[in-house]
Amino acid sequence: MAGGGGKSFLAEAGYGEQELDANSALMELDKGLRSGKLGEQCEAVVRFPRLFQKYPFPILINSAFLKLADVFRVGNNFLRLCVLKVTQQSEKHLEKILNVDEFVKRVFSVIHSNDPVARAITLRMLGSMASIIPERKNAHHSIRQSLDSHDNVEVEAAIFAAANFSAQSKDFAAGICNKISEMIQGLATPVDLKLKLIPILQHMHHDASLASSSRQLLQQLVTSYPSTKMVIVTLHTFTLLAASSLVDIPKQVQLLLQYLKNDPRKAVKRLAIQDLKLLANKTPHTWTRENIQALCESALHTPYDSLKLGMLSVLSTLSGTIAIKQYFSSAPGTAATTAKAFDLVKLAQECCYHTNRGIAAHGVRILTNISASCQEKDLLPLEQDAVFGLESLLVLCSQDGSPGAQATLKITLTCMVKLVKSRPHLSQSVVESLLTQLHSAQDAARILMCHCLAAIAMQLPILADGMLGDLMDLYKVIGRSATDKKQELLVSLATVIFVSSQKALSSEIKTVIKQQLENASNGWTAYRIARQASRMGNHDMARELYQSLLTQVASEHFYFWLNSLKEFSHAEQCLTGLQEDNYSSALSCIAEALKSYHKGIASLTMKLSMEEFRNLAARYGDLYQSSFDADSATLRNEYTSNGTAHVESEYERRMMSVFNRVLEEVESLNRKYAPHTACLCSGVIALLKVPLSFQRYFFQKLQSTSIKLALSPSPRNPAEPIAVQNNQQLALKVEGVVQHGSKPGLFRKIQSVCLNVSSVLQSKSGQDYKIPIDNMSNEMEQRVEPHNDYFSTQFLLNFVILGTHNITVESSVIDSNGIVWKTGPKTTIFVKSLEDPYSQQVRLQQQQGQSSSQQQQQRTAYSRCSQVSAFSKPCRGGHLTDKQQLLKLTVEVTDCMYFTESAGLSWLTAAN
């Protein structure tokens, strides 16, 4: 039974109460598979990937793949091809097949067919399944045997399977390497088949000896077969093998530079540049000064712009890494070495004003990266070269609306932001260039330039005031433009205006913006501008825009959303009038703000509780940990609210200023004789006066990550607990699937998932027993690494105490930096601990024995009492008997005194 009022994930995953939904979907597809019509069978097969996506758990996937294996075994080649495509599309679900042996058995039976096409499809099927059957010897044997086939289709399929198995199995790679070598060097093997066999060698990286022998073979091939196609395939395989084995990357860089310099064929040069770019991205730290120098010389001497563009692309990639620092590091002090060390600068300066926009863009990027990374005095003149090159590209690309010009403009603007951030003294000239060009640029270019201005203004607020005049002049005439980009331009310009005037908007600015929105915008544009105003802290403007949009939406949901945003903005607007020296006025403003916040919360139908002031930092910490998908600016803002962070925006600077001031006042309390209450009040007012910035994550998520959990066992009826005997342990299996949006891993990636399982006794039944404290509760934690976005683990739980226990499973994620993020979800099930039959039988026998013993004691007591009564009659007649016998009888009936208390007292009194 899942906790919470939303729809249970078990229902979505096909567990528990909604299990019939998954089964019915599978039965519907199975019905199509059993149809006598080929079209219906194919339709059913191709719908399986959608089923796997909706129910990505092993029970259903195992059943579905077994059914597909049956179709593969008895169907025709077209159906087999459809099953092959489904298997390749669902590769990440193959690990969830429980009966791997049975699945492989049904598929492998087709390998003995007399039809070479059927055998070829089977080989491709086996190759697609290599991740789950890497060490199957029968599959290895079939692949080796099929490589000698006389049918080209079967041989190509065997090559595909051999490549996949080589990537997964060290034994297969070691065994097939000699076979591949013989086929490649054999005179009877056609050249086109050799070209298909050579890429298999890229997977021979499982150990050093295997990689070394493969590299020697490739070296022989590249020398023995100098044709263009053979050299291209061999060199690329060379590069991929080196990138996987790592140890041979410096040798491979030298080899590629050698072919780039000496080989006259442009195709080979392009391949060398492509592979050099791959190695520059993967391992820039392995590039030496000589490697970069050789690449610069080749770029300086080549007459072909296409090759120069490729080489500059590699150099621009290296210039943004540690390799550029190694290049400009102190070298042996020879004049020749020092002069050559600036070939990269010479190349970049020549290319900054090249007629080819791409070459010019890479030139200015290299200069920008050098200026940002290297602080040597002799490189300071490069700053002006970088600025001039950026300005020329800005003028060139802002007048051109083609896609190529826009791509170059993005590179230019990115370099501007980076240069201004690393060299603030250049910011004034860069901003002036942008504002000057903004009036004459194309609308598409204006949008990008506005983004650049906003980024610069966030980094350097001192420049913001100087932008307002030009921005407002442009905003007044923007309505005259009739391009399709007008709406986007309105939003971008408004954003820059908000950033430039974060403290408060003048009435003139608000009037101009509202007039333009009334004349030339739609509701969505107005909402986006209001959203930007909320993000920048201009809540008065945001409130007016939200108010104007309330009557323009057709959905009740949208209405309540806009109304809540309006109330939030009004609440923040109330707090801007706080006065630190007037507490009564401050209380009135805070009360009005709280009233608006409560209205906004009620509009969102949210139930929030007011936390005490001392818990505010902890709650910000929890918010930070739960924001796994948040962008870096939002996370930085949340961390700033905790009091310590590197600040970049004006809002963050103001908050940090207030934090520091409040901290100084608190620390000076012991030195001053001011009341603590006054200090706290002034600190609260100072914090509330800073307008709240609604960050981007409040409105939209650029990255989306969620986890779905399924627990086994799980009750069919959510109202019923799972029964377990108290002398046994419950094996709780937790399965989960990580789901991503359109941009997985944009800000951070999941390294592992942390699962916490705890149990709480809700109601106790039966007798109380003395139980060790360790057995009274369950607190466990496990970390699992998802594979293909799926993870599974098990917990053993003890329930010694009889009664109903509440089990809670909560998940959190750990990113690649080891930071824990409390993303959830939290799932709850109930377990009822029952007494085991043997203990119950022993307990009943003990109870019956105790009952019969008590009855026997009662009968004995009654008989003893009757003897006492008979003995006491002579005493009452005045005849005394022996006192020793009387005392003996008195001791024997002590256990039954509660039956004869009054009678005993009477005869003892008479005896005395």
Side-chain angles (χ1 to χ4, degrees):
M1 181 170 63
K7 184 178 180 181
S8 167
F9 165 63
L10 300 177
E12 296 179 2
Y15 286 73
E17 60 180 316
Q18 296 294 330
E19 188 175 1
L20 290 177
D21 291 342
N23 286 338
S24 60
L26 183 59
M27 289 174 62
E28 187 67 23
L29 293 182
D30 184 54
K31 181 180 177 181
L33 294 179
R34 297 177 183 275
S35 173
K37 298 180 180 179
L38 180 61
E40 293 181 358
Q41 289 178 317
C42 295
E43 182 183 1
V45 170
V46 299
R47 286 171 59 190
F48 271 90
R50 174 63 178 170
L51 181 70
F52 298 155
Q53 183 179 1
K54 189 175 182 181
Y55 306 104
F57 287 92
I59 294 178
L60 182 135
I61 289 177
N62 181 70
S63 301
F65 269 110
L66 289 178
K67 294 181 183 298
L68 289 175
D70 281 332
V71 174
F72 189 90
R73 178 170 56 88
V74 301
N76 56 29
N77 285 340
F78 184 70
L79 280 175
R80 293 188 179 114
L81 185 61
C82 293
V83 174
L84 171 63
K85 296 299 182 182
V86 169
T87 304
Q88 292 175 342
Q89 292 178 14
S90 309
E91 184 178 359
K92 69 177 184 178
H93 297 299
L94 292 176
E95 288 184 343
K96 304 169 190 175
I97 299 177
L98 304 177
N99 299 335
V100 177
D101 293 338
E102 183 63 27
F103 177 64
V104 175
K105 178 182 177 182
R106 298 179 188 182
V107 171
F108 193 76
S109 62
V110 188
I111 200 69
H112 305 294
S113 172
N114 292 327
D115 184 4
V117 176
R119 295 198 301 269
I121 297 175
T122 305
L123 287 169
R124 291 186 177 272
M125 187 74 173
L126 292 174
S128 302
M129 296 156 43
S131 59
I132 61 173
I133 54 168
E135 307 298 338
R136 292 294 176 110
K137 301 304 179 184
N138 54 353
H140 295 180
H141 176 72
S142 298
I143 294 171
R144 294 176 61 92
Q145 196 173 27
S146 297
L147 286 173
D148 296 328
S149 174
H150 297 288
D151 186 87
N152 290 333
V153 175
E154 186 176 359
V155 173
E156 291 180 4
I159 293 174
F160 170 82
N164 286 3
F165 272 90
S166 297
Q168 299 291 336
S169 172
K170 176 183 177 180
D171 292 340
F172 180 81
I176 203 70
C177 185
N178 292 333
K179 174 73 173 179
I180 299 297
S181 175
E182 293 174 0
M183 293 182 67
I184 292 175
Q185 295 176 327
L187 298 178
T189 306
V191 176
D192 58 341
L193 189 57
K194 291 182 180 181
L195 294 176
K196 295 175 182 178
L197 286 168
I198 290 174
I200 299 178
L201 298 175
Q202 66 181 288
H203 302 297
M204 307 298 172
H205 54 75
H206 297 283
D207 56 43
S209 60
L210 186 62
S212 177
S213 60
S214 300
R215 188 172 179 83
Q216 291 176 4
L217 174 60
L218 289 170
Q219 186 69 53
Q220 295 175 4
L221 291 175
V222 80
T223 306
S224 304
Y225 298 91
S227 64
T228 301
K229 289 184 178 181
M230 186 67 74
V231 170
I232 288 175
V233 172
T234 306
L235 276 180
H236 187 58
T237 304
F238 234 142
T239 302
L240 295 178
L241 178 62
S244 299
S245 59
L246 299 179
V247 293
D248 294 320
I249 288 181
K251 294 181 181 179
Q252 185 63 21
V253 171
Q254 294 177 0
L255 179 64
L256 292 172
L257 289 172
Q258 179 182 348
Y259 271 90
L260 179 63
K261 179 180 179 180
N262 300 327
D263 199 299
R265 294 168 290 189
K266 291 181 67 176
V268 176
K269 289 180 180 289
R270 281 195 294 267
L271 186 277
I273 293 172
Q274 173 188 334
D275 287 353
L276 286 171
K277 181 71 176 291
L278 185 151
L279 296 177
N281 284 314
K282 185 175 179 63
T283 55
H285 58 281
T286 61
W287 286 65
T288 63
R289 180 200 305 265
E290 290 74 18
N291 297 148
I292 299 177
Q293 183 65 30
L295 188 58
C296 291
E297 292 175 357
S298 298
L300 284 170
H301 295 96
T302 182
Y304 303 106
D305 286 350
S306 60
L307 297 180
K308 185 186 290 288
L309 177 62
M311 287 182 266
L312 282 171
S313 175
V314 178
L315 289 171
S316 65
T317 300
L318 291 171
S319 66
T321 65
I322 189 64
I324 196 66
K325 291 184 178 293
Q326 297 175 357
Y327 181 74
F328 284 104
S329 61
S330 57
T334 60
T337 303
T338 305
K340 288 184 178 180
F342 292 95
D343 279 354
L344 178 61
V345 177
K346 178 181 177 182
L347 174 64
Q349 290 173 334
E350 287 183 3
C351 295
C352 279
Y353 306 100
H354 201 278
T355 56
N356 187 304
R357 286 192 301 259
I359 294 177
H362 285 303
V364 297
R365 175 184 280 179
I366 293 172
L367 288 179
T368 301
N369 289 336
I370 293 174
S371 301
S373 302
C374 304
Q375 304 297 327
E376 288 81 0
K377 294 182 180 180
D378 55 347
L379 296 180
L380 292 178
L382 294 180
E383 298 174 358
Q384 291 300 326
D385 293 337
V387 171
F388 294 151
L390 290 171
E391 289 177 351
S392 64
L393 269 180
L394 178 65
V395 174
L396 177 67
C397 298
S398 61
Q399 308 294 332
D400 191 348
S402 63
Q406 296 304 302
T408 304
L409 181 61
K410 289 181 181 179
I411 296 175
T412 304
L413 297 176
T414 302
C415 291
M416 283 185 170
V417 174
K418 185 173 183 178
L419 186 63
V420 168
K421 184 176 181 179
S422 60
R423 307 282 180 164
H425 59 277
L426 301 175
S427 56
Q428 190 66 38
S429 60
V430 172
V431 170
E432 289 178 358
S433 301
L434 285 169
L435 291 175
T436 302
Q437 198 61 30
L438 196 60
H439 291 275
S440 58
Q442 298 283 335
D443 283 347
R446 285 176 172 177
I447 295 170
L448 299 175
M449 294 164 68
C450 286
H451 294 168
C452 180
L453 284 171
I456 293 175
M458 293 285 284
Q459 294 177 3
L460 301 170
I462 193 173
L463 300 174
D465 294 336
M467 300 182 186
L468 274 177
D470 294 289
L471 294 174
M472 293 309 301
D473 293 340
L474 181 61
Y475 210 88
K476 292 176 182 178
V477 300
I478 195 65
R480 303 173 187 173
S481 175
T483 61
D484 298 335
K485 296 287 185 178
K486 181 172 60 177
Q487 303 294 321
E488 183 71 24
L489 183 57
L490 286 172
V491 177
S492 301
L493 273 174
T495 302
V496 183
I497 293 172
F498 294 149
V499 174
S500 302
S501 56
Q502 286 191 356
K503 294 183 178 179
L505 289 176
S506 64
S507 58
E508 179 185 358
I509 294 176
K510 291 194 288 187
T511 301
V512 172
I513 293 177
K514 287 190 289 186
Q515 286 179 351
Q516 286 296 334
L517 291 179
E518 292 174 358
N519 298 332
S521 72
N522 52 37
W524 176 242
T525 301
Y527 171 75
R528 294 179 63 193
I529 293 177
R531 186 179 67 186
Q532 293 299 93
S534 296
R535 291 183 58 191
M536 302 304 161
N538 295 288
H539 297 290
D540 53 345
M541 184 72 190
R543 185 187 65 83
E544 296 179 11
L545 293 178
Y546 291 137
Q547 179 67 43
S548 65
L549 290 172
L550 283 176
T551 57
Q552 300 183 26
V553 293
S555 168
E556 187 181 45
H557 174 74
F558 293 154
Y559 174 83
F560 285 122
W561 169 246
L562 291 173
N563 187 63
S564 65
L565 293 177
K566 183 202 73 171
E567 295 294 343
F568 292 157
S569 300
H570 179 66
E572 288 297 322
Q573 188 180 1
C574 293
L575 297 176
T576 57
L578 291 176
Q579 298 179 3
E580 297 184 16
D581 55 350
N582 190 345
Y583 292 163
S584 60
S585 175
L587 289 175
S588 300
C589 293
I590 294 173
E592 184 67 23
L594 287 176
K595 183 179 178 181
S596 296
Y597 263 119
H598 278 298
K599 287 182 179 179
I601 291 171
S603 182
L604 287 176
T605 64
M606 297 169 62
K607 296 181 180 180
L608 300 179
S609 59
M610 298 301 295
E611 295 290 332
E612 296 180 3
F613 186 75
R614 66 175 181 268
N615 294 328
L616 189 58
R619 296 191 67 194
Y620 268 112
D622 293 339
L623 177 62
Y624 181 93
Q625 284 190 317
S626 63
S627 304
F628 178 78
D629 295 317
D631 54 279
S632 56
T634 302
L635 281 182
R636 191 175 61 249
N637 174 261
E638 294 177 6
Y639 199 54
T640 302
S641 301
N642 253 336
T644 54
H646 173 68
V647 298
E648 292 189 5
S649 67
E650 177 64 19
Y651 169 74
E652 295 166 3
R653 292 186 184 91
R654 295 175 66 182
M655 288 296 291
M656 289 302 298
S657 175
V658 172
F659 285 147
N660 293 331
R661 196 185 79 189
V662 173
L663 181 60
E664 290 176 359
E665 292 184 2
V666 172
E667 290 177 346
S668 64
L669 282 178
N670 293 330
R671 299 191 298 269
K672 298 190 302 183
Y673 294 97
H676 290 214
T677 305
C679 176
L680 290 176
C681 290
S682 61
V684 170
I685 293 174
L687 290 174
L688 293 177
K689 284 179 65 177
V690 180
L692 179 64
S693 175
F694 290 88
Q695 294 297 307
R696 168 177 286 185
Y697 192 58
F698 182 81
F699 295 99
Q700 62 179 151
K701 291 196 298 184
L702 300 182
Q703 173 181 323
S704 177
T705 307
S706 62
I707 294 178
K708 288 188 173 183
L709 296 179
L711 308 183
S712 300
S714 180
R716 288 184 177 272
N717 187 353
E720 295 180 358
I722 301 172
V724 61
Q725 295 180 8
N726 67 333
N727 67 336
Q728 297 179 350
Q729 291 181 317
L730 174 66
L732 179 67
K733 184 177 182 180
V734 181
E735 299 173 281
V737 175
V738 181
Q739 296 183 327
H740 304 281
S742 58
K743 300 177 180 179
L746 180 62
F747 302 119
R748 55 201 62 87
K749 298 179 180 180
I750 295 179
Q751 181 71 25
S752 60
V753 177
C754 182
L755 296 171
N756 291 277
V757 175
S758 60
S759 66
V760 177
L761 178 64
Q762 279 200 332
S763 60
K764 192 187 302 184
S765 63
Q767 300 180 1
D768 292 336
Y769 301 101
K770 292 183 178 180
I771 305 297
I773 297 178
D774 296 340
N775 295 331
M776 295 183 66
S777 63
N778 295 281
E779 292 286 344
M780 297 184 182
E781 177 180 307
Q782 286 192 34
R783 294 187 178 185
V784 291
E785 293 187 6
H787 188 69
N788 292 328
D789 295 332
Y790 171 79
F791 60 89
S792 174
T793 188
Q794 287 187 337
F795 297 86
L796 286 178
L797 307 178
N798 292 312
F799 300 100
V800 180
I801 302 178
L802 304 183
T804 303
H805 299 257
N806 183 8
I807 301 178
T808 301
V809 180
E810 185 175 6
S811 65
S812 54
V813 301
I814 303 172
D815 64 10
S816 54
N817 296 322
I819 302 175
V820 180
W821 302 85
K822 298 178 180 179
T823 57
K826 183 185 293 185
T827 306
T828 302
I829 61 173
F830 295 96
V831 169
K832 187 172 184 180
S833 178
L834 304 176
E835 190 176 9
D836 65 287
Y838 177 75
S839 299
Q840 187 177 14
Q841 183 180 1
V842 172
R843 180 174 55 83
L844 291 176
Q845 290 177 355
Q846 290 176 350
Q847 291 177 355
Q848 292 175 359
Q850 292 176 358
S851 176
S852 59
S853 176
Q854 290 178 358
Q855 292 177 1
Q856 182 65 30
Q857 290 177 358
Q858 292 176 5
R859 287 194 296 268
T860 304
Y862 278 119
S863 64
R864 291 296 185 183
C865 289
S866 61
Q867 293 178 12
V868 171
S869 300
F871 176 75
S872 64
K873 290 180 181 179
C875 296
R876 294 191 185 96
H879 300 287
L880 278 176
T881 61
D882 190 9
K883 289 187 176 181
Q884 293 181 351
Q885 186 178 2
L886 176 62
L887 291 175
K888 180 179 180 182
L889 290 173
T890 304
V891 172
E892 290 179 354
V893 298
T894 301
D895 294 335
C896 61
M897 284 299 293
Y898 60 94
F899 294 108
T900 60
E901 181 178 0
S902 58
L905 287 175
S906 62
W907 63 256
L908 283 174
T909 303
N912 292 331

